[in-house]
Structure formats: structure tokens, C-alpha cells
Amino acid sequence: MSVDKTPLPAQLAVMFDLLVQEDIQQSDSDDSTTGACMEYLLGNNILEELVNLAEHDQPVGVRGVVISNLSTFVSLTDDKLLVQKAVHNPILELLRSYSAHRAAAAEAGVAQSVVSLFSTHQHIYDDDFVDLMYAICSKVRGEPMLLNIFFQDRRWLKSIEQPSASTESFSAMVRSVESLHRDGSSPPSSGYEFLLFSHLLQFVHLEGKAGDTARTSLLFLLELATTEIMASTGGNTALERFILDDSGFAAILSATLGAMYSQLPRSLRVSTGPSAVVPESFPSYSADLQNAIESSIFAAGADRGSMDRWTDDRGPMDSSNPEFRARLASFVHVISFIQEVLFRCPSPHVCDQLLKNLRDNFLQAILYPSLLESSDTDGSSVAVMRYLEAMLQSARHEDLVSAIMDFLTDDSTLAQPPVAGAATSKRADSACLPFTLRDLVYSNLQSSVSGDAVVSALNLLRLVLVKHCRYSSRLIEVERVQPSGIKNGWMTNCTVAID
């Protein structure tokens, strides 16, 4: 039986509307007391009952209704309501149970074949679930002390299980958290649990609204990874260590980028139509959810079939293919997200780890082999150069540009310190690039079999000269020639060479 055939959705909507309206009226009147409806909700554990109802998803669809209403409730009510155990405990339980069901379905192969009624509806609630996490992250961003409710160590998990009055004040919660961190016996980083961050990472690779919302939510949390905010509690220092040591954040992002790159076609043919495979600029992620949603150019659950079935025996793919352009935009969106992390995360350690993983797990392990295997005879060099152009076109953060250009031009090896013993030659061999970006551009400029390769090489060279000119000396050489009687030195002739 579907929940749509019951009065439950309408009744829940009315209940949460009354709660929100009462909370707004209390706030407008500067009344610090709890309203009658809210007091009843807190005193009778109504949210806990709803989460238990959503656990088994019976009637079918009730889980989505509960998650959606909780998201609205969290978004529109006062931040300090999350302090109440009757509010945050059910939400934490929902985070645990939803992720467990999702993981169990994935292990059972439900994503590929539907085996039960329950699993059929397993993933249709993802958008609502991500919206709920976004609402929580927005509250945490506005009131950083709320982070301690969702970023927990073992003793904090035990402390929230102890009974307490529903009217516990926000300051009382803060004092209890401070006491946990001041005693100097905090558990190791592996003892921390941050369900919110870990669950958002499961959606970071998605396209469309859910992916955009998850990435924006992660940025809200990453902004707190500093010792400057909440320094008295030490909470953000622990958050930084969690991101570095336990979350797998950098490795997951680099793997996501590699997966997006691997879905792009191996060979490409330049279209004779509109030439802009990559737009002049891509929208950057902002703190506003609406901007993040509007930046998506494709809907969740879009058909991937024809791209997945594309094989090399069908020849190069046309660059104007809509599905290819959507895949390329998806790849660039991940690059843009990495860039936003570098712009907005205040922790230099997190940023350094992200750049290191980008170099080791994507540039060296995935991108560079495709560069080595590219050829102007089959369109593969055209594809590689277009993907490099897309990366460099969207890159604005200097550290990101430097990581890409230093690797592709072999400049970073000059700055590496010598390593004693046998490790020296091994490090040098792994770092040295026998085929650099300059070699790729030069070899394709000389192509006699592919005009597309020549055009793509010129486009890539032009992009470096115009947008990343400080690296242009690594691709070209300028040689001064005799002035031929010209009096003004600035008019002296020069020849430009690539080899």
C-alpha cells in the first residue's frame, strides 16, 4: 500500500506547518518560552516515533514523507531547537538507519537488479535525504557550536544517552561540550564519528540537484575546519584531524574525478557546428543552495545508456554530442568543486592533502597514461587536449593551476629535495615525465593526418598563453633576432619556437 493513498502525508504537513508557525510567532514576539505544540512534540518524543515509522517504510513512501517534513522543520525553525535531544537524537538515528539501508542495498546489488519491494524504493528518497543534510549543515554554519551535536567522540555519544530535561538550554550544552574537551583525555581521531560528513561524501559524485546540494553542504562543513572558530572547545582542530585521517575526503574526491574522466570518450572529432565544447566560464559553487542547483545542467537520473555503449570501433565521438557535453560538464563540475574547497577551506593541511591526492591518484595514475597513449591518427590526442583545455579553462585557484601545470610540464621535479639511498632513483623515475605537455602540443602541431589535432593544439596553447601566461615559457621559447635598423628597442623582432 502506498502512503499516497493514506491521509498521513496531509496530516504530517499540517502538524509541521503548525509547529513552524508557532516557532515563528514565538520568535517575532521575543518570547523565549516554548510554545504549547512544540512542548508537546518535545515531551512526547514525536519525532522519534516518526523516525521509527520511517525505518520500515510501511506504508511504502512514508520514509520520504518523514524525511521531507523533517527537512522543512529544521530549515524553518530556530537553530537552538537542534540542541534538544528530542530533535537531534531522532535525526541522528535517521542518518544511521538510512545510510545502513542504502549500503545494504548496494552490497546486495540492488542498484543493478531490483529484488524486493523495499529495495525498489531504496534510492528514491536520496534527494530528500540530501536536502535534510543541507538544512542541518546550514544551521551548523550559522551556529558553529551546533557542530558538536553531529561531530561526536565516544564520551559525547554516551553523554547524550543520559536523560535530561527537554528545556535544556543552549549554554548548558556548550558547557558540557567544553568540559569534554578540557579534561585532556580525548580519544584518538579514530574515535570520532561524523555521520553528516561521511554520508555527504556518498553523494559527492552525483549529477544534478542531489550532487550539487551535497557538495554545497560539504563546503559549509569544510569552512569550519580551522582552529580560529570555537578555539575554546578545540572542536574544529578535531574536525580537521577527522577530515585528514578518517574521512577519506581527498582520496574520494580524486577517485570521483578519475571516474568522471574515465567515462569520457577515448577519441573525439571536432564538430563543425558551435565550437565551444567548454564554455568560457563555469559557475562556481556558492553558499546559496539556489545558485548550486541552478549551476546543474542535467537532471538526476539522466539516461547514461548510449554513452556507456560507445566503443572505439564506432570511431571518434563528435564534440557536439549532447551527452558528451553533459559528461564533460560533469567532469568540470568536480574540478570546480575541488577549486571551491581550496578557496573556502581555511585548513592548509586539508588543501595540501587534496592537492597531493589530485596529483598522485588522478594526474599521475589516470590522466598521464591517457596522454602517453594518445595519437593524432585516431582522435585520442584531440580528446586529451580538449579535456586538458576544460581543466585549465575552469582552473582559477593558483595552487590548482600550479599542481596541474607543474606536473604536466615536469617543473615540480626541479623543486623536489634529494632523497638518500635507493629511494632517490625511484622517486626521480616516478616523478620524471618522458612526455610533457610541451611534447603533446608540439607533436600535434606537426600532424599531417589530422586537422583537428592541429586546431586542438593551437587552442590549448592559446589558452595557456592568455589565461596562464606565467607558465607559457615552459611551452615556448623566445629568441631575440637582429633589430634590422629599428631605433626603438621595444620594437625589436623576436621569433617564437616551440621546439
Side-chain angles (χ1 to χ4, degrees):
M1 181 179 179
S2 172
V3 72
D4 294 333
K5 297 181 180 179
T6 71
L8 191 57
Q11 292 171 350
L12 286 177
V14 171
M15 183 188 78
F16 281 102
D17 283 346
L18 290 174
L19 290 167
V20 169
Q21 290 173 14
E22 181 185 68
D23 185 73
I24 293 174
Q25 290 174 0
Q26 296 287 112
S27 299
D28 291 344
S29 61
D30 295 327
D31 189 351
S32 59
T33 62
T34 304
C37 294
M38 191 68 71
E39 187 65 35
Y40 184 86
L41 178 103
L42 299 175
N44 293 275
N45 295 320
I46 302 299
L47 295 184
E48 182 179 350
E49 293 295 329
L50 288 177
V51 169
N52 291 337
L53 178 66
E55 171 71 18
H56 303 290
D57 200 25
Q58 292 297 328
V60 176
V62 69
R63 180 183 296 141
V65 173
V66 170
I67 294 174
S68 177
N69 280 282
L70 273 177
S71 175
T72 303
F73 177 72
V74 173
S75 297
L76 299 180
T77 55
D78 191 271
D79 297 357
K80 296 179 177 59
L81 268 178
L82 281 175
V83 176
Q84 305 293 339
K85 285 182 59 178
V87 176
H88 67 246
N89 274 359
I91 292 176
L92 286 167
E93 182 57 34
L94 182 62
L95 292 176
R96 290 189 182 93
S97 62
Y98 189 89
S99 181
H101 290 314
R102 202 171 185 272
E107 290 177 2
V110 175
Q112 286 74 32
S113 73
V114 176
V115 296
S116 69
L117 180 63
F118 170 77
S119 60
T120 302
H121 298 271
Q122 172 72 26
H123 296 289
I124 52 178
Y125 312 128
D126 280 355
D127 284 350
D128 293 328
F129 186 59
V130 174
D131 284 343
L132 173 60
M133 292 191 288
Y134 172 83
I136 297 170
C137 292
S138 298
K139 297 295 185 182
V140 171
R141 187 185 188 224
E143 185 56 72
M145 295 302 296
L146 293 174
L147 177 66
N148 295 280
I149 295 175
F150 301 95
F151 181 61
Q152 306 166 334
D153 60 29
R154 293 191 181 101
R155 287 167 303 160
W156 174 247
L157 285 172
K158 292 179 181 178
S159 69
I160 63 174
E161 294 173 358
Q162 299 173 356
S164 62
S166 63
T167 56
E168 179 185 9
S169 67
F170 185 73
S171 59
M173 186 276 290
V174 172
R175 288 195 298 270
S176 67
V177 173
E178 289 176 345
S179 66
L180 286 175
H181 290 281
R182 278 199 302 262
D183 62 6
S185 57
S186 297
S189 59
S190 59
Y192 284 93
E193 180 182 72
F194 198 6
L195 293 174
L196 200 57
F197 194 93
S198 301
H199 293 350
L200 285 168
L201 283 178
Q202 300 177 18
F203 300 92
V204 73
H205 67 285
L206 295 182
E207 305 168 357
K209 176 178 178 290
D212 285 334
T213 307
R215 290 186 285 269
T216 304
S217 302
L218 280 170
L219 288 175
F220 290 168
L221 299 178
L222 288 164
E223 289 176 349
L224 301 178
T226 175
T227 56
E228 296 178 2
I229 306 175
M230 288 169 53
S232 61
T233 67
N236 286 352
T237 304
L239 175 59
E240 182 186 51
R241 296 314 311 169
F242 171 84
I243 296 173
L244 291 171
D245 300 335
D246 296 335
S247 68
F249 172 70
I252 290 174
L253 269 191
S254 59
T256 299
L257 188 63
M260 294 293 185
Y261 184 84
S262 299
Q263 292 177 0
L264 295 170
R266 180 180 175 274
S267 57
L268 200 62
R269 179 179 62 253
V270 178
S271 171
T272 56
S275 58
V277 174
V278 184
E280 282 300 316
S281 62
F282 280 85
S284 61
Y285 291 93
S286 73
D288 192 326
L289 173 63
Q290 188 62 35
N291 289 344
I293 295 174
E294 290 176 353
S295 70
S296 176
I297 65 170
F298 41 146
D303 180 26
R304 302 165 175 260
S306 57
M307 281 289 290
D308 290 336
R309 293 191 295 268
W310 191 276
T311 55
D312 290 341
D313 57 3
R314 294 178 59 182
M317 175 175 283
D318 195 281
S319 63
S320 63
N321 184 296
E323 295 175 3
F324 159 70
R325 293 166 71 88
R327 287 288 181 91
L328 182 58
S330 178
F331 170 73
V332 174
H333 282 163
V334 179
I335 291 283
S336 298
F337 175 66
I338 292 174
Q339 182 167 247
E340 284 300 311
V341 172
L342 297 176
F343 274 124
R344 295 170 61 172
C345 180
S347 169
H349 303 296
V350 172
C351 295
D352 289 345
Q353 186 186 65
L354 181 56
L355 290 172
K356 183 181 184 301
N357 273 266
L358 177 69
R359 174 186 171 91
D360 296 343
N361 299 334
F362 174 67
L363 295 177
Q364 185 170 339
I366 297 177
L367 178 65
Y368 183 62
S370 68
L371 187 147
L372 280 178
E373 297 168 1
S374 64
S375 170
D376 60 343
T377 60
D378 60 1
S380 58
S381 64
V382 175
V384 169
M385 287 186 288
R386 281 302 175 102
Y387 305 152
L388 288 174
E389 183 183 353
M391 292 173 60
L392 294 173
Q393 178 69 56
S394 62
R396 293 177 291 109
H397 194 282
E398 186 54 42
D399 291 343
L400 178 61
V401 176
S402 178
I404 297 172
M405 293 300 296
D406 285 349
F407 181 83
L408 293 177
T409 59
D410 198 20
D411 186 73
S412 60
T413 58
L414 300 177
Q416 289 181 352
V419 182
T424 302
S425 59
K426 183 178 180 180
R427 176 106 175 244
D429 290 341
S430 65
C432 183
L433 297 179
F435 191 74
T436 65
L437 180 62
R438 174 174 168 171
D439 299 322
L440 176 70
V441 171
Y442 177 65
S443 61
N444 282 277
L445 282 177
Q446 291 184 316
S447 175
S448 58
V449 297
S450 173
D452 288 350
V454 176
V455 172
S456 298
L458 287 172
N459 285 337
L460 182 57
L461 180 60
R462 174 184 176 275
L463 176 64
V464 175
L465 291 173
V466 172
K467 191 167 184 179
H468 308 295
C469 58
R470 60 173 294 187
Y471 300 97
S472 59
S473 60
R474 304 178 187 180
L475 300 183
I476 62 175
E477 294 179 356
V478 179
E479 179 182 355
R480 187 180 296 273
V481 298
Q482 295 300 323
S484 305
I486 298 176
K487 296 181 179 180
N488 297 321
W490 59 271
M491 297 179 62
T492 302
N493 295 328
C494 295
T495 60
V496 178
I498 296 181
D499 62 339

Short mmCIF file of all heavy atoms in Angstrom, two decimals, residues 202-254:
data_model
loop_
_atom_site.label_atom_id
_atom_site.label_comp_id
_atom_site.label_asym_id
_atom_site.label_seq_id
_atom_site.Cartn_x
_atom_site.Cartn_y
_atom_site.Cartn_z
N GLN A 202 29.02 10.24 0.21
CA GLN A 202 28.42 9.22 -0.63
C GLN A 202 27.67 9.82 -1.83
O GLN A 202 27.36 9.10 -2.78
CB GLN A 202 27.45 8.37 0.20
CG GLN A 202 28.09 7.64 1.36
CD GLN A 202 27.07 6.88 2.19
OE1 GLN A 202 25.95 6.63 1.74
NE2 GLN A 202 27.45 6.52 3.41
N PHE A 203 27.39 11.10 -1.76
CA PHE A 203 26.62 11.76 -2.82
C PHE A 203 27.46 12.77 -3.61
O PHE A 203 26.92 13.41 -4.52
CB PHE A 203 25.41 12.48 -2.21
CG PHE A 203 24.46 11.59 -1.49
CD1 PHE A 203 24.59 11.36 -0.12
CD2 PHE A 203 23.42 10.95 -2.16
CE1 PHE A 203 23.71 10.54 0.56
CE2 PHE A 203 22.53 10.11 -1.49
CZ PHE A 203 22.68 9.91 -0.12
N VAL A 204 28.74 12.89 -3.28
CA VAL A 204 29.54 13.95 -3.89
C VAL A 204 29.74 13.73 -5.38
O VAL A 204 29.98 14.67 -6.14
CB VAL A 204 30.90 14.06 -3.16
CG1 VAL A 204 31.81 12.89 -3.51
CG2 VAL A 204 31.59 15.38 -3.47
N HIS A 205 29.62 12.48 -5.84
CA HIS A 205 29.85 12.17 -7.25
C HIS A 205 28.59 12.32 -8.10
O HIS A 205 28.68 12.25 -9.33
CB HIS A 205 30.33 10.73 -7.38
CG HIS A 205 29.30 9.71 -7.00
ND1 HIS A 205 28.98 9.46 -5.69
CD2 HIS A 205 28.49 8.92 -7.76
CE1 HIS A 205 28.04 8.54 -5.64
NE2 HIS A 205 27.72 8.20 -6.88
N LEU A 206 27.44 12.52 -7.48
CA LEU A 206 26.19 12.52 -8.22
C LEU A 206 26.04 13.75 -9.09
O LEU A 206 26.58 14.82 -8.80
CB LEU A 206 24.99 12.43 -7.27
CG LEU A 206 24.85 11.15 -6.46
CD1 LEU A 206 23.59 11.21 -5.60
CD2 LEU A 206 24.80 9.93 -7.37
N GLU A 207 25.28 13.59 -10.18
CA GLU A 207 24.95 14.71 -11.04
C GLU A 207 23.62 15.31 -10.60
O GLU A 207 22.86 14.70 -9.86
CB GLU A 207 24.86 14.22 -12.49
CG GLU A 207 26.12 13.51 -12.98
CD GLU A 207 25.91 12.80 -14.30
OE1 GLU A 207 24.76 12.82 -14.79
OE2 GLU A 207 26.86 12.23 -14.82
N GLY A 208 23.34 16.49 -11.04
CA GLY A 208 22.05 17.10 -10.78
C GLY A 208 21.93 17.69 -9.39
O GLY A 208 22.91 17.99 -8.71
N LYS A 209 20.67 17.84 -8.94
CA LYS A 209 20.36 18.56 -7.72
C LYS A 209 20.99 17.91 -6.50
O LYS A 209 21.58 18.59 -5.64
CB LYS A 209 18.84 18.65 -7.56
CG LYS A 209 18.39 19.31 -6.26
CD LYS A 209 16.87 19.39 -6.21
CE LYS A 209 16.40 19.99 -4.90
NZ LYS A 209 16.62 19.08 -3.75
N ALA A 210 20.89 16.59 -6.37
CA ALA A 210 21.43 15.91 -5.19
C ALA A 210 22.93 16.10 -5.08
O ALA A 210 23.46 16.37 -3.99
CB ALA A 210 21.08 14.41 -5.24
N GLY A 211 23.65 15.98 -6.19
CA GLY A 211 25.09 16.17 -6.16
C GLY A 211 25.47 17.60 -5.82
O GLY A 211 26.38 17.84 -5.01
N ASP A 212 24.79 18.56 -6.43
CA ASP A 212 25.09 19.97 -6.15
C ASP A 212 24.83 20.31 -4.69
O ASP A 212 25.62 21.01 -4.04
CB ASP A 212 24.24 20.88 -7.04
CG ASP A 212 24.74 20.93 -8.48
OD1 ASP A 212 25.94 20.70 -8.68
OD2 ASP A 212 23.93 21.18 -9.38
N THR A 213 23.70 19.80 -4.16
CA THR A 213 23.37 20.09 -2.77
C THR A 213 24.36 19.45 -1.82
O THR A 213 24.77 20.07 -0.82
CB THR A 213 21.95 19.58 -2.46
OG1 THR A 213 21.03 20.10 -3.43
CG2 THR A 213 21.51 20.02 -1.08
N ALA A 214 24.78 18.22 -2.10
CA ALA A 214 25.75 17.54 -1.24
C ALA A 214 27.09 18.27 -1.25
O ALA A 214 27.71 18.45 -0.19
CB ALA A 214 25.93 16.09 -1.70
N ARG A 215 27.53 18.69 -2.40
CA ARG A 215 28.82 19.40 -2.47
C ARG A 215 28.76 20.75 -1.76
O ARG A 215 29.73 21.15 -1.09
CB ARG A 215 29.23 19.55 -3.94
CG ARG A 215 29.63 18.24 -4.60
CD ARG A 215 30.16 18.45 -6.01
NE ARG A 215 29.13 18.74 -6.96
CZ ARG A 215 28.48 17.83 -7.69
NH1 ARG A 215 28.74 16.55 -7.52
NH2 ARG A 215 27.56 18.18 -8.57
N THR A 216 27.64 21.45 -1.90
CA THR A 216 27.49 22.72 -1.18
C THR A 216 27.49 22.49 0.33
O THR A 216 28.10 23.26 1.09
CB THR A 216 26.19 23.42 -1.61
OG1 THR A 216 26.20 23.60 -3.03
CG2 THR A 216 26.06 24.78 -0.95
N SER A 217 26.82 21.44 0.78
CA SER A 217 26.78 21.12 2.21
C SER A 217 28.17 20.80 2.74
O SER A 217 28.54 21.22 3.84
CB SER A 217 25.84 19.93 2.44
OG SER A 217 24.53 20.20 1.97
N LEU A 218 28.95 20.07 1.96
CA LEU A 218 30.32 19.76 2.38
C LEU A 218 31.15 21.03 2.52
O LEU A 218 31.98 21.15 3.43
CB LEU A 218 30.97 18.81 1.37
CG LEU A 218 30.60 17.33 1.50
CD1 LEU A 218 31.12 16.54 0.31
CD2 LEU A 218 31.16 16.74 2.79
N LEU A 219 30.93 21.99 1.63
CA LEU A 219 31.67 23.25 1.74
C LEU A 219 31.34 23.97 3.04
O LEU A 219 32.21 24.58 3.67
CB LEU A 219 31.35 24.15 0.54
CG LEU A 219 31.94 23.72 -0.81
CD1 LEU A 219 31.44 24.62 -1.93
CD2 LEU A 219 33.46 23.72 -0.78
N PHE A 220 30.07 23.91 3.45
CA PHE A 220 29.69 24.53 4.72
C PHE A 220 30.49 23.93 5.88
O PHE A 220 30.94 24.64 6.77
CB PHE A 220 28.20 24.33 4.98
CG PHE A 220 27.30 25.13 4.08
CD1 PHE A 220 25.94 24.88 4.04
CD2 PHE A 220 27.79 26.14 3.27
CE1 PHE A 220 25.10 25.61 3.21
CE2 PHE A 220 26.97 26.88 2.44
CZ PHE A 220 25.61 26.61 2.42
N LEU A 221 30.64 22.61 5.87
CA LEU A 221 31.36 21.93 6.95
C LEU A 221 32.85 22.18 6.86
O LEU A 221 33.53 22.36 7.88
CB LEU A 221 31.06 20.44 6.92
CG LEU A 221 29.60 20.03 7.12
CD1 LEU A 221 29.44 18.52 7.02
CD2 LEU A 221 29.07 20.55 8.44
N LEU A 222 33.39 22.20 5.65
CA LEU A 222 34.82 22.41 5.47
C LEU A 222 35.24 23.81 5.92
O LEU A 222 36.39 24.02 6.32
CB LEU A 222 35.21 22.18 4.01
CG LEU A 222 35.20 20.73 3.55
CD1 LEU A 222 35.21 20.64 2.03
CD2 LEU A 222 36.38 19.97 4.12
N GLU A 223 34.32 24.76 5.84
CA GLU A 223 34.64 26.11 6.30
C GLU A 223 34.92 26.16 7.80
O GLU A 223 35.53 27.11 8.29
CB GLU A 223 33.49 27.06 5.97
CG GLU A 223 33.35 27.37 4.49
CD GLU A 223 32.14 28.22 4.19
OE1 GLU A 223 31.31 28.39 5.11
OE2 GLU A 223 32.02 28.72 3.06
N LEU A 224 34.48 25.14 8.53
CA LEU A 224 34.68 25.10 9.98
C LEU A 224 35.97 24.39 10.38
O LEU A 224 36.26 24.29 11.57
CB LEU A 224 33.49 24.41 10.65
CG LEU A 224 32.11 25.04 10.40
CD1 LEU A 224 31.04 24.21 11.09
CD2 LEU A 224 32.08 26.47 10.89
N ALA A 225 36.70 23.87 9.42
CA ALA A 225 37.91 23.11 9.73
C ALA A 225 39.08 24.04 10.00
O ALA A 225 40.06 24.11 9.25
CB ALA A 225 38.25 22.15 8.58
N THR A 226 38.98 24.79 11.08
CA THR A 226 40.03 25.72 11.46
C THR A 226 40.04 25.86 12.96
O THR A 226 39.05 25.59 13.64
CB THR A 226 39.80 27.10 10.82
OG1 THR A 226 40.79 28.01 11.31
CG2 THR A 226 38.43 27.62 11.17
N THR A 227 41.16 26.29 13.49
CA THR A 227 41.27 26.48 14.94
C THR A 227 40.81 27.88 15.35
O THR A 227 40.78 28.19 16.54
CB THR A 227 42.73 26.30 15.39
OG1 THR A 227 43.57 27.21 14.65
CG2 THR A 227 43.18 24.88 15.14
N GLU A 228 40.47 28.73 14.40
CA GLU A 228 40.10 30.11 14.73
C GLU A 228 38.69 30.20 15.30
O GLU A 228 38.40 31.04 16.14
CB GLU A 228 40.22 30.98 13.48
CG GLU A 228 41.65 31.07 12.96
CD GLU A 228 41.73 31.90 11.68
OE1 GLU A 228 40.68 32.39 11.26
OE2 GLU A 228 42.82 32.02 11.13
N ILE A 229 37.78 29.35 14.82
CA ILE A 229 36.42 29.35 15.33
C ILE A 229 36.31 28.27 16.39
O ILE A 229 36.88 27.20 16.27
CB ILE A 229 35.41 29.08 14.19
CG1 ILE A 229 35.64 30.06 13.05
CG2 ILE A 229 33.99 29.15 14.68
CD1 ILE A 229 34.79 29.78 11.85
N MET A 230 35.57 28.53 17.44
CA MET A 230 35.39 27.58 18.52
C MET A 230 36.73 27.13 19.10
O MET A 230 36.91 25.97 19.48
CB MET A 230 34.62 26.35 18.03
CG MET A 230 33.15 26.59 17.76
SD MET A 230 32.40 25.22 16.90
CE MET A 230 32.86 23.86 17.94
N ALA A 231 37.68 28.02 19.17
CA ALA A 231 39.01 27.65 19.65
C ALA A 231 38.98 27.18 21.09
O ALA A 231 39.79 26.36 21.51
CB ALA A 231 39.96 28.84 19.50
N SER A 232 38.03 27.69 21.86
CA SER A 232 37.98 27.33 23.28
C SER A 232 37.63 25.87 23.49
O SER A 232 38.04 25.26 24.47
CB SER A 232 36.97 28.22 24.00
OG SER A 232 35.67 28.03 23.46
N THR A 233 36.86 25.28 22.57
CA THR A 233 36.46 23.88 22.73
C THR A 233 37.39 22.93 22.02
O THR A 233 37.38 21.74 22.29
CB THR A 233 35.04 23.66 22.19
OG1 THR A 233 35.05 23.85 20.77
CG2 THR A 233 34.05 24.63 22.81
N GLY A 234 38.19 23.42 21.10
CA GLY A 234 39.07 22.55 20.34
C GLY A 234 38.34 21.69 19.33
O GLY A 234 38.92 20.79 18.75
N GLY A 235 37.05 21.94 19.13
CA GLY A 235 36.27 21.08 18.26
C GLY A 235 36.74 21.08 16.83
O GLY A 235 36.77 20.05 16.18
N ASN A 236 37.11 22.25 16.32
CA ASN A 236 37.48 22.33 14.92
C ASN A 236 38.86 21.76 14.65
O ASN A 236 39.17 21.36 13.54
CB ASN A 236 37.40 23.77 14.44
CG ASN A 236 35.96 24.20 14.27
OD1 ASN A 236 35.06 23.38 14.36
ND2 ASN A 236 35.74 25.48 14.05
N THR A 237 39.73 21.76 15.65
CA THR A 237 41.00 21.06 15.49
C THR A 237 40.75 19.58 15.28
O THR A 237 41.37 18.93 14.43
CB THR A 237 41.89 21.28 16.73
OG1 THR A 237 42.06 22.66 16.95
CG2 THR A 237 43.24 20.63 16.53
N ALA A 238 39.83 19.03 16.06
CA ALA A 238 39.48 17.62 15.90
C ALA A 238 38.82 17.38 14.55
O ALA A 238 39.03 16.34 13.92
CB ALA A 238 38.56 17.19 17.04
N LEU A 239 38.00 18.33 14.09
CA LEU A 239 37.36 18.18 12.78
C LEU A 239 38.41 18.13 11.68
O LEU A 239 38.31 17.33 10.75
CB LEU A 239 36.39 19.35 12.54
CG LEU A 239 35.73 19.40 11.16
CD1 LEU A 239 34.94 18.14 10.89
CD2 LEU A 239 34.83 20.64 11.04
N GLU A 240 39.41 18.97 11.78
CA GLU A 240 40.48 18.96 10.79
C GLU A 240 41.19 17.61 10.78
O GLU A 240 41.46 17.05 9.71
CB GLU A 240 41.48 20.07 11.10
CG GLU A 240 42.63 20.16 10.10
CD GLU A 240 43.66 21.19 10.52
OE1 GLU A 240 44.11 21.11 11.68
OE2 GLU A 240 44.00 22.05 9.70
N ARG A 241 41.47 17.06 11.97
CA ARG A 241 42.12 15.75 12.04
C ARG A 241 41.21 14.66 11.48
O ARG A 241 41.69 13.72 10.82
CB ARG A 241 42.48 15.41 13.49
CG ARG A 241 43.49 16.33 14.15
CD ARG A 241 44.69 16.64 13.28
NE ARG A 241 45.30 15.45 12.69
CZ ARG A 241 46.23 15.48 11.75
NH1 ARG A 241 46.65 16.64 11.27
NH2 ARG A 241 46.75 14.36 11.29
N PHE A 242 39.92 14.77 11.73
CA PHE A 242 38.98 13.77 11.18
C PHE A 242 39.01 13.80 9.65
O PHE A 242 39.05 12.75 9.00
CB PHE A 242 37.57 14.06 11.69
CG PHE A 242 36.51 13.22 11.02
CD1 PHE A 242 36.24 11.94 11.46
CD2 PHE A 242 35.79 13.73 9.95
CE1 PHE A 242 35.26 11.17 10.83
CE2 PHE A 242 34.82 12.97 9.31
CZ PHE A 242 34.56 11.68 9.76
N ILE A 243 38.96 15.00 9.08
CA ILE A 243 38.97 15.11 7.62
C ILE A 243 40.27 14.55 7.05
O ILE A 243 40.27 13.85 6.03
CB ILE A 243 38.77 16.58 7.20
CG1 ILE A 243 37.38 17.06 7.63
CG2 ILE A 243 38.94 16.74 5.69
CD1 ILE A 243 37.16 18.55 7.42
N LEU A 244 41.38 14.81 7.72
CA LEU A 244 42.67 14.37 7.22
C LEU A 244 42.88 12.87 7.39
O LEU A 244 43.39 12.20 6.47
CB LEU A 244 43.80 15.12 7.94
CG LEU A 244 43.94 16.61 7.63
CD1 LEU A 244 44.96 17.25 8.57
CD2 LEU A 244 44.36 16.83 6.18
N ASP A 245 42.51 12.33 8.54
CA ASP A 245 42.90 10.97 8.89
C ASP A 245 41.81 9.92 8.71
O ASP A 245 42.11 8.77 8.42
CB ASP A 245 43.37 10.92 10.36
CG ASP A 245 44.56 11.82 10.62
OD1 ASP A 245 45.31 12.11 9.66
OD2 ASP A 245 44.76 12.25 11.77
N ASP A 246 40.55 10.31 8.89
CA ASP A 246 39.49 9.30 8.95
C ASP A 246 38.46 9.37 7.83
O ASP A 246 37.81 8.37 7.54
CB ASP A 246 38.76 9.40 10.29
CG ASP A 246 39.66 9.08 11.47
OD1 ASP A 246 40.64 8.37 11.27
OD2 ASP A 246 39.38 9.57 12.58
N SER A 247 38.26 10.54 7.25
CA SER A 247 37.13 10.69 6.34
C SER A 247 37.41 10.14 4.94
O SER A 247 36.48 9.76 4.23
CB SER A 247 36.75 12.17 6.22
OG SER A 247 37.77 12.91 5.55
N GLY A 248 38.68 10.12 4.52
CA GLY A 248 38.99 9.74 3.15
C GLY A 248 38.56 10.78 2.14
O GLY A 248 38.40 10.49 0.95
N PHE A 249 38.38 12.02 2.60
CA PHE A 249 37.83 13.07 1.75
C PHE A 249 38.66 13.30 0.49
O PHE A 249 38.13 13.27 -0.63
CB PHE A 249 37.73 14.37 2.57
CG PHE A 249 37.35 15.58 1.77
CD1 PHE A 249 36.08 15.72 1.26
CD2 PHE A 249 38.27 16.59 1.55
CE1 PHE A 249 35.72 16.84 0.52
CE2 PHE A 249 37.93 17.71 0.82
CZ PHE A 249 36.64 17.84 0.30
N ALA A 250 39.96 13.49 0.64
CA ALA A 250 40.81 13.79 -0.52
C ALA A 250 40.86 12.61 -1.48
O ALA A 250 40.80 12.79 -2.71
CB ALA A 250 42.22 14.16 -0.04
N ALA A 251 40.96 11.40 -0.95
CA ALA A 251 41.03 10.22 -1.81
C ALA A 251 39.73 10.01 -2.57
O ALA A 251 39.73 9.66 -3.76
CB ALA A 251 41.36 8.98 -0.97
N ILE A 252 38.59 10.26 -1.90
CA ILE A 252 37.30 10.09 -2.56
C ILE A 252 37.11 11.12 -3.67
O ILE A 252 36.63 10.80 -4.76
CB ILE A 252 36.17 10.20 -1.52
CG1 ILE A 252 36.17 8.96 -0.61
CG2 ILE A 252 34.81 10.35 -2.20
CD1 ILE A 252 35.19 9.05 0.54
N LEU A 253 37.53 12.36 -3.42
CA LEU A 253 37.41 13.38 -4.46
C LEU A 253 38.26 13.06 -5.68
O LEU A 253 37.82 13.20 -6.82
CB LEU A 253 37.79 14.75 -3.89
CG LEU A 253 36.69 15.60 -3.28
CD1 LEU A 253 37.18 17.01 -3.02
CD2 LEU A 253 35.46 15.63 -4.16
N SER A 254 39.51 12.63 -5.45
CA SER A 254 40.37 12.31 -6.59
C SER A 254 39.85 11.08 -7.33
O SER A 254 39.93 11.01 -8.57
CB SER A 254 41.81 12.08 -6.11
OG SER A 254 41.88 11.03 -5.16
#
